[in-house]
Amino acid sequence: MHTPLIAYLVLIIKLQRQIILILLAQLAEIFDHSRLPSADKPVFKRFNQFQVDEKVPLLQADIGSKALDYQQLIAESLEKNGKPILPVRRRKPISFAAQDCPRCSAPQDYLYANNGAGGQLRCKVCQFKFQDGHAEKNKTVALRCPYCQNRLSIHNRRTKFDVWCCYNDKCAFRLGAIASMSPAEVADFNVHPTAHKVRYTWRTYNFELKGIAPESPIQAPVDLDRIQASPEVLGLVLTYHINYGLSARRTAAIMYDIHGVKISHQTIHNYEMAVAAVVRPFWANYPYALSDQIVGDETYVRVKGKWHYIFYFYDAKCKLILADYVTPNRTTESAVIAINQVLQKMPQIPEKLNFVVDANPIYQVAQIYFAQQGIKFGIHQVVGLENKDEISREYRFLKQTIERLNRSYKENYRSSTGFGSATGSASYTALYSAAYNFLRPHEALHYRIPVELPQLKPFERMPDKWLALIELAQSQLPTAA
């Protein structure tokens, strides 16, 4: 007789349980959206360090504060190498003002233009580089042995790099290398000392920075061939600022606190725009091998105190950024420009080309625009946060990949709290895209880089990879020699 009552109570309990589960789910969603985005999994260790096979040399500011005597250096070279340092043999008349080396006082006969008409001079005696008439503004670093702090000296100059060596006979590295030799190796070392590597050595990537092409879509206030920083400093600045997401002010602070190089945050912005003007055409015109999983989305950034938008298009399978258009307007025209950036990277448009986007109607209008130009592709729109239709259920995972890209970008961008100019936002975004495609290992690719450029493979340190990428991009410019 109590069976209906018991069934009624069981029904009430089940209903209460469902209500409790719904409330818990809503509380969890509120909690997730109320907190700041947390960092994802740790970055791959090799991407997060400078040290590779051996200790990295100590980097200290080198502004020529230690005075040297050029006559003494010439005499030491004669004693060591058996030949003196001769004056520069010039093919053209001197193009710079009469002056002496600010470090060793070598006369003008020993100075030469180090980068053509760029204004950088170099002393043949002490190898000190300085700006024409402005030695105090030189921004470069001196390399010191990490074992004995002795200053490294040039051992050999190659086409693409310089070999540095520690010539301190009491260096801990040298003494340890000799102590680890067998008696037979010690006997051979006493007879053929150059046949054994017992001194600390290091290689620095070196090349001449060139100006940008006038056709570049980003025009910087300075050319790379006119900056006063050495390539080593430029590589460090890009690594800290782009790869590690430090703001320009924090990058300037770490360059001074760690490396002793004094550089302003505005100079870092200038370098950023100068490099972007060179790298952007290379990134945009590179012949990528694309998959059929291309997804697009737009995200917010702050530019001069106002919200702007980045229209991203992304190859979710190959982990490639294909479009990164920054604009103050969230319009059909913006979507058209971003899609056109993707189409330009395709040697031939596939017959069944499809883009996965959100429910914003501007993409449908852009589809109609391209169809009028004879370019046809499909649009799959993932609507909302829940899979309420078949297309959303099928392509939701692709939409999530570009949301992950948006979060990764904002993790870097957040430290700057916004951009001060439209050019600055476009420059930073272009460098981030280049690093994402050519420099950054991805966990989904088993820690491989999406595009492994052969020209970058010989280099382990991220600053050297940046310099190699810049040189490669420069070689593709119309004005490059």
Side-chain angles (χ1 to χ4, degrees), residues 413-425:
Y413 146 83
R414 188 177 294 115
S415 64
S416 64
T417 66
F419 299 103
S421 66
T423 304
S425 62

Side-chain angles (χ1 to χ4, degrees), residues 19-33:
I19 294 174
I20 291 173
L21 292 175
I22 292 173
L23 292 175
L24 289 175
Q26 291 179 347
L27 287 174
E29 185 176 358
I30 292 173
F31 176 75
D32 286 337
H33 287 280

Side-chain angles (χ1 to χ4, degrees), residues 118 196-197 265 375:
H196 299 264
K197 182 185 179 305
H265 74 280
I375 301 174

Side-chain angles (χ1 to χ4, degrees), residues 216-221 241-242 269-281 283-284 301-304 308-312 321 323-328 337 341 409 413 416 418-435 466:
S216 176
I218 297 177
Q219 291 298 310
H241 188 43
I242 306 300
H269 284 310
N270 292 342
Y271 292 173
E272 169 193 318
M273 288 185 279
V275 174
V278 172
V279 173
R280 173 65 194 222
W283 168 84
V301 291
R302 201 81 169 172
V303 180
K304 298 183 69 174
H308 284 216
Y309 307 90
I310 299 181
F311 280 75
Y312 268 130
I321 297 177
D324 60 356
Y325 180 56
V326 185
T327 173
I337 294 174
Q341 289 185 10
Y409 176 85
Y413 146 83
S416 64
F419 299 103
S421 66
T423 304
S425 62
S427 300
Y428 184 90
T429 305
L431 293 181
Y432 180 85
S433 299
W466 268 112

Side-chain angles (χ1 to χ4, degrees), residues 58-70:
L58 305 177
L59 304 176
Q60 297 181 357
D62 180 14
I63 56 174
S65 57
K66 183 179 179 181
L68 300 175
D69 185 358
Y70 80 98

Side-chain angles (χ1 to χ4, degrees), residues 54-246:
E54 55 185 348
K55 287 186 178 181
V56 176
L58 305 177
L59 304 176
Q60 297 181 357
D62 180 14
I63 56 174
S65 57
K66 183 179 179 181
L68 300 175
D69 185 358
Y70 80 98
Q71 295 179 338
Q72 181 181 356
L73 294 177
I74 294 176
E76 291 175 356
S77 176
L78 177 61
E79 180 180 355
K80 180 179 178 180
N81 303 319
K83 56 182 180 180
I85 300 175
L86 300 176
V88 177
R89 297 178 60 184
R90 307 188 189 279
R91 300 178 182 177
K92 299 180 180 180
I94 295 177
S95 59
F96 49 88
Q99 56 190 305
D100 297 339
C101 174
R103 188 177 185 193
C104 69
S105 301
Q108 184 171 330
D109 292 340
Y110 291 93
L111 304 182
Y112 60 91
N114 193 45
N115 61 345
Q120 187 185 77
L121 305 184
R122 186 165 191 160
C123 177
K124 188 177 179 181
V125 179
C126 66
Q127 303 300 325
F128 181 60
K129 294 184 291 185
F130 60 98
Q131 203 70 11
D132 186 6
H134 301 280
E136 70 280 3
K137 293 184 179 180
N138 184 68
K139 296 181 177 67
T140 184
V141 290
L143 304 179
R144 294 188 178 274
C145 176
Y147 296 91
C148 65
Q149 286 73 54
N150 184 60
R151 182 163 179 165
L152 302 183
S153 302
I154 289 286
H155 175 69
N156 206 340
R157 294 188 182 278
R158 301 295 185 187
T159 303
K160 298 294 184 182
F161 59 89
D162 295 335
V163 180
W164 299 77
C165 186
C166 176
Y167 287 105
N168 181 14
D169 290 340
K170 297 183 180 180
C171 177
F173 182 90
R174 180 178 184 274
L175 297 178
I178 296 175
S180 63
M181 291 182 178
S182 64
E185 290 175 332
V186 172
D188 185 66
F189 171 72
N190 293 330
V191 179
H192 306 99
T194 58
H196 299 264
K197 182 185 179 305
V198 296
R199 298 187 184 275
Y200 174 81
T201 57
W202 185 256
R203 296 196 311 174
T204 57
Y205 188 62
N206 192 25
F207 70 100
E208 293 296 332
L209 297 170
K210 303 176 184 178
I212 64 174
E215 298 84 0
S216 176
I218 297 177
Q219 291 298 310
V222 295
D223 278 353
L224 282 178
D225 60 345
R226 296 184 180 275
I227 68 173
Q228 299 171 7
S230 64
E232 180 73 17
V233 169
L234 181 62
L236 288 171
V237 165
L238 292 173
T239 300
Y240 290 134
H241 188 43
I242 306 300
N243 296 72
Y244 297 112
L246 298 183

Side-chain angles (χ1 to χ4, degrees), residues 360-375:
N360 196 325
I362 60 177
Y363 294 108
Q364 293 177 318
V365 182
Q367 181 187 25
I368 297 173
Y369 168 82
F370 280 103
Q372 294 173 345
Q373 312 301 318
I375 301 174

